[in-house]
Amino acid sequence: MKQLFLIRHGKSSWSDASLSDLDRPLNKRGHRQLQAMARPLRAMGALDGEVHVSQACRARQTIEGLLDLLAERQLVGRVHFEPDLYTFRHKRLLRWIRRLPGNPDCLTIIGHNPALSDLAGLLTGEEAPDMATGSVLHLELSTESWAKTRKGQAKVVTYLPPKLASYELFQRKAPSPPDQGRDLRRQIPATLHHLLERLRATQPGVVAGIDPEFLHQFRIALRRSRAITEAVSIITGDEHLKKALTPLKSMARETSTLRDLDVFLPELEARSLEDRRLRQSLRASGGGDFFRQWQDECHQQLCQQLQGKGWRKSLAAWEGVVTGKTLSRPLNKLTPEAIHDTVTIRARHCRQLFHQLAPDSPDEPFHEVRKALKRLRYLAELDARGYPDLLNELRELQKRYGRFQDRHVQLTLLATLAENRREHRLPPTLAALADELHMDKQRARKTILAHPPVLKLA
């Protein structure tokens, strides 16, 4: 078996008409693509073997940029610049591969389209991706010799474009949400449809699993879809609309632990870089490996669900709700007066829940207040222009309760680690970290209790 990685150079500049095609450099987006792709390329093994590069300026700058970003000295000796790789013809590329000396097990080519995509189509015998600038296509070939490379002997292992490795690059061309207006019968379906398209658009980035911001934005789309629909259901009393949310609620639960780990692991890594004892403890106890393996298992389980028929059917059913009578009927009952009455009732409920809190209350009542305030915010956002002060206050409250929630979650993750160790307790350095997080959670509780919600409605 042979491993072939085809990398298309980063986005190049056309700003200087005096330059030949061979001399065109990367533009700013091309350099941003390299920043997004460097670590994924290393992780997938695309730079583990021989790397052969077109002599075009944009291809040379691509490998030079990757070398700078990865700072791997041993890679420099495996990079070769090849005049024959400056080609747009896949047959010429195939002839070059067949004549490759040394017969390495892993080969990487940094070159140009359409030669790369056409070569992939020939080797797989199927339609290949039209490779975006900065992307990589990993092929596995059932051959023992590059000299015997032929049609139909390859399969695609991975195709990764930069827009799936970086949410920032993805967002560059993402459609804007619909304009906020006060005609709720038009605005709410338009917003929910936009959020549905966000779910579909961010899902490939979630599956790629490189930039955790994709999962965060996927969850936001789920949460806002639920929030808007539940708000309409609460105000109008429509139970059918509430039942339609079941698949979205289920998916939100499935993503919860992975998101918690996505937030906690970078913080843990940052702390360990500053604390040698914590770094050593994570390594010696296997704590770091435990969390990474847990994260990987959660991601694999989520991918199976996202790529399954059940989730596709759920999204199709949800689209039917958004565009059909299940939503349009209750919207006919939705008036500013009905929104105001419900917001008033919910605000009163939030104050009542808060006044039941005490310094020695368990965590759950604090969570109940946090969730009640969040639901109130979603209700008020149906008429955002009517509640500017309330919404500003709710956003500030959310930050305070969010800090409490973050520490609660992190302590829960550490407790899970302790439960999975033979002695059922954390090593001293991690126990000290848990104590620090607990103290910070207590400070967050005091801050919450010191700021009763005013929830001014007018």
Side-chain angles (χ1 to χ4, degrees), residues 184-186 188-189 192 228-245 318 320-336 338-339 382:
L184 297 178
R185 292 176 181 84
R186 296 179 62 184
I188 288 177
L192 288 175
I228 293 170
T229 309
E230 285 178 345
V232 174
S233 177
I234 289 169
I235 293 168
T236 62
D238 191 293
E239 291 297 320
H240 295 290
L241 192 56
K242 191 174 182 179
K243 289 179 182 178
L245 284 169
W318 177 244
V321 170
V322 170
T323 59
K325 292 183 179 180
T326 306
L327 178 62
S328 63
R329 275 196 295 258
L331 283 180
N332 291 327
K333 305 175 186 178
L334 198 65
T335 65
I339 294 173
L382 290 179

Side-chain angles (χ1 to χ4, degrees), residues 82 160 203 249:
E82 305 284 353
L160 181 66
Q203 181 172 311
K249 290 181 179 179

